[in-house]
Amino acid sequence: MRKLCTVLVFVLALVTQLAAQTRTVRGKITDDKGASLAGASILVKGTTIGTNSGADGTFSLNVPSSAKTLVIRSLGFAQQEVAIGNGAINVAMKA
């Protein structure tokens, strides 16, 4: 009985881990001239999960494995939507 309980606890923990998987997305936001853009808002489309770009324009964000698109906004620039791929996401914002 003890072994069965141990196995059930282990399986429950494994299933919980698999259901809550996330991945880290990294990238850099620049303006249309290639200069780093600090303070840009990066959100996972359809959620409240997001972050802002740092002083050097870079960002890192943990997103659900089901996430497909990021929405990037910054004052004075047009909003952009970019697909989440396997590599770094580098976005040049358009004025």
Side-chain angles (χ1 to χ4, degrees):
M1 183 69 174
R2 184 175 287 197
K3 286 183 181 181
L4 178 61
C5 286
T6 303
V7 169
L8 287 175
V9 168
F10 177 73
V11 169
L12 181 61
L14 181 62
V15 168
T16 303
Q17 258 324 82
L18 291 175
Q21 284 198 358
T22 62
R23 58 184 168 155
T24 302
V25 175
R26 291 180 171 82
K28 185 171 184 176
I29 310 298
T30 58
D31 64 14
D32 50 356
K33 296 178 180 123
S36 299
L37 192 58
S41 170
I42 300 102
L43 290 170
V44 177
K45 186 174 184 176
T47 73
T48 58
I49 300 168
T51 190
N52 292 319
S53 59
D56 59 355
T58 62
F59 69 91
S60 178
L61 180 62
N62 290 326
V63 301
S65 58
S66 61
K68 304 284 184 225
T69 307
L70 293 179
V71 178
I72 296 121
R73 297 180 183 127
S74 187
L75 289 175
F77 294 91
Q79 174 179 303
Q80 291 194 34
E81 293 188 10
V82 293
I84 299 173
N86 292 328
I89 296 176
N90 297 311
V91 178
M93 300 295 286
K94 296 174 184 155

